[in-house]
Amino acid sequence: MPLPELTEDCSRCAGLCCVAYPFEEHEDFGLLKAADIPCPNLAPDFRCNIHNDLAKCGFGGCVAYSCAGAGQRVTQVLFDGETWRDDPDLLSHMTYALRVLRPIHEALLVLQEAAALPLPKDLQERGAELTRALCPEAPSSVWDFEEDSVQNALAALPDFVETIAPYTQHRS
């Protein structure tokens, strides 16, 4: 089963991470910002005006952040390339969708890593089952990712990870 793209591509996103999440002014963020408010460093082309100096400017949280491909999936797939700058009414819908999809994409990354482990057949099948559940067929809205089957699979991931933990240890 093909997975969605799980690597961020900021050039295909609408700067959603710079809008969706609140910042608390401390060692990881150089300013206080509420959720659904664009960061003042976000340029009109959705690029960061201080990207090359993020760490130096006190934005270590931005340096460490990855949406795991959820940002461009929201922008390009769920919103057909439209942006909240084109239609300000989309802002809260797009940022909400990012907050729903990002944990799913992160879970898919974990499951992708698990699939590469030498797991017993029952655990391989469980990982594949969770992966399928997190990948609704032909999703067209955020609601497809809020279905019980998707959210139940997301909630089951920590137990699955705990179960496979012994297989992740390096054996010599």
Side-chain angles (χ1 to χ4, degrees):
M1 118 183 282
L3 292 175
E5 192 175 352
L6 298 175
T7 303
E8 69 272 3
D9 180 352
C10 300
S11 71
R12 296 174 37 228
C13 182
L16 297 179
C17 63
C18 302
V19 181
Y21 301 108
F23 297 170
E24 291 187 25
E25 190 172 1
H26 55 64
E27 69 272 2
D28 289 332
F29 295 101
L31 56 89
L32 179 65
K33 182 191 90 58
D36 292 352
I37 301 293
C39 175
N41 297 311
L42 185 62
D45 65 355
F46 302 114
R47 305 280 189 205
C48 177
N49 283 326
I50 62 168
H51 183 75
N52 293 333
D53 297 317
L54 281 169
K56 186 171 61 175
C57 294
F59 288 86
C62 296
V63 173
Y65 178 83
S66 170
C67 72
Q72 71 257 22
R73 190 174 191 192
V74 168
T75 303
Q76 299 303 321
V77 176
L78 298 184
F79 288 87
D80 297 320
E82 290 188 67
T83 74
W84 54 270
R85 286 220 167 110
D86 298 330
D87 180 353
D89 290 337
L90 294 179
L91 187 137
S92 62
H93 302 289
M94 293 183 84
T95 58
Y96 178 78
L98 178 68
R99 291 188 293 265
V100 170
L101 261 69
R102 182 178 176 226
I104 293 168
H105 276 229
E106 289 174 337
L108 288 169
L109 281 172
V110 170
L111 290 165
Q112 184 178 49
E113 291 291 322
L117 294 172
L119 298 175
K121 186 170 175 52
D122 65 319
L123 292 177
Q124 290 174 2
E125 289 172 358
R126 179 63 177 145
E129 176 186 309
L130 291 172
T131 300
R132 283 190 300 275
L134 291 170
C135 295
E137 194 170 320
S140 60
S141 82
V142 69
W143 296 308
D144 294 319
F145 297 96
E146 293 182 305
E147 292 288 333
D148 287 346
S149 59
V150 176
Q151 292 301 308
N152 290 341
L154 187 59
L157 187 67
D159 287 339
F160 178 72
V161 169
E162 188 174 315
T163 303
I164 67 168
Y167 300 96
T168 64
Q169 304 302 313
H170 295 291
R171 300 170 199 243
S172 34

